[in-house]
């Protein structure tokens, strides 16, 4: 990824589920943005379906149409239920194609 100041678009998402890690499973969260917002592109040079701006070590590992599963690094506390996070999609076209409104900051 280039420098964050080079990123032109991020998607606002909300934590809708959180699961503390265990010996068998890493900590993870579920966000309310899935393949219809992030797209299913996973280029060979990336390690997930997008990046979490607030935690660059987090990995978007799975998508359904409306949700994303994010594996969270065990050194960082899981975000709270209802917390807003920003994702950088791997491909911008899908992210802007299905929305009625875009907020520019």
């Amino acid at each position: 990824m280039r420098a964050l100041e080079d990123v032109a678009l991020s998607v606002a998402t909300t934590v809708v589920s959180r699961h503390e890690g265990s010996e068998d499973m890493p900590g993870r969260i579920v966000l309310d943005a899935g393949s219809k917002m992030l797209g299913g592109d996973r280029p060979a040079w990336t390690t997930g379906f997008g990046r979490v701006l607030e935690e660059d070590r987090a990995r978007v590992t799975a998508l359904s149409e409306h949700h994303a599963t994010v594996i969270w690094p065990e050194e960082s506390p899981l975000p709270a239920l209802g917390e807003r996070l920003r994702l950088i999609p791997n491909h911008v076209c899908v992210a802007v194609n299905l929305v009625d409104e875009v907020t520019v900051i």
Side-chain angles (χ1 to χ4, degrees), residues 30-68:
V30 177
L31 301 171
D32 66 351
S35 64
K36 289 190 177 223
M37 180 56 60
L38 301 174
D41 290 356
R42 190 172 179 175
W45 49 263
T46 189
T47 58
F49 293 101
R51 291 286 196 193
V52 179
L53 273 173
E54 291 80 2
E55 176 53 76
D56 65 350
R57 295 170 298 155
R59 296 291 173 259
V60 181
T61 58
L63 296 175
S64 67
E65 286 187 343
H66 300 289
H67 295 95

Side-chain angles (χ1 to χ4, degrees), residues 13-27:
T13 66
T14 303
V15 177
V16 295
S17 182
R18 58 192 307 273
H19 308 274
E20 297 292 340
S22 67
E23 289 182 22
D24 301 331
M25 181 70 70

Side-chain angles (χ1 to χ4, degrees), residues 4 21 36 38 44 51 56 71 85 87 103:
L4 285 180
K36 289 190 177 223
L38 301 174
R51 291 286 196 193
D56 65 350
I71 300 298
L85 300 175
L87 293 180
T103 301

Side-chain angles (χ1 to χ4, degrees), residues 1-8 45-46 51 53 56 88-90:
M1 182 171 86
R2 298 184 122 170
L4 285 180
E5 56 269 5
D6 294 331
V7 174
W45 49 263
T46 189
R51 291 286 196 193
L53 273 173
D56 65 350
I88 303 169
N90 290 341

